[in-house]
Amino acid sequence: MISKVGQIMLYVNNQDEALDFWTKKVGFNVISEENNGQGMRWIEIAPAKGAETSIVLHNKELVAKMSPELNLGAPSLMFFSENLDQLYGDLSNKNVKVGEIVTMPFGRVFNFADHEENYFAVMEKK
């Protein structure tokens, strides 16, 4: 029986740019970084140390060669924030492309894009 989501694989064109985006602009922490010495590198990041779920940044081109059957598109991720307005301002000030804050039946939410034009959502959770 599955008890929780452990890791989400995010396949990116440039791992270094992705790492800069997620750590310097979004504020995630590096949990681990591995390199098998044969070109396979993966970087685990999370919003906080000890978070139950993390994101692993993988090299899209290399994974496509190893496993051509995989869907390498960006997953549709919904993040939660206790202070949506502050996060929105922080991302905007760091020149991250953000959408408008909208009010949905389940709460306020906005989208943001990474450096590769992948869109993610953030919902206010208090």
Side-chain angles (χ1 to χ4, degrees), residues 19-103:
L19 180 61
D20 281 350
F21 174 81
W22 287 102
T23 57
K24 293 178 181 171
K25 294 192 176 189
V26 183
F28 276 39
N29 297 297
V30 175
I31 305 304
S32 67
E33 185 170 349
E34 302 292 331
N35 189 329
N36 72 357
Q38 299 172 15
M40 185 66 167
R41 174 182 173 215
W42 56 97
I43 307 159
E44 182 180 7
I45 58 173
K49 297 209 185 287
E52 288 193 17
T53 304
S54 61
I55 294 174
V56 180
L57 304 173
H58 285 281
N59 180 310
K60 186 184 284 190
E61 182 180 351
L62 185 61
V63 172
K65 287 178 186 174
M66 291 173 45
S67 302
E69 72 282 1
L70 287 182
N71 177 353
L72 301 178
S76 182
L77 300 178
M78 171 73 78
F79 297 102
F80 295 152
S81 175
E82 293 179 2
N83 192 332
L84 196 74
D85 296 306
Q86 180 181 345
L87 177 60
Y88 186 88
D90 288 348
L91 293 176
S92 296
N93 290 337
K94 293 175 182 171
N95 296 316
V96 173
K97 185 187 287 187
V98 294
E100 292 183 33
I101 295 176
V102 295
T103 301

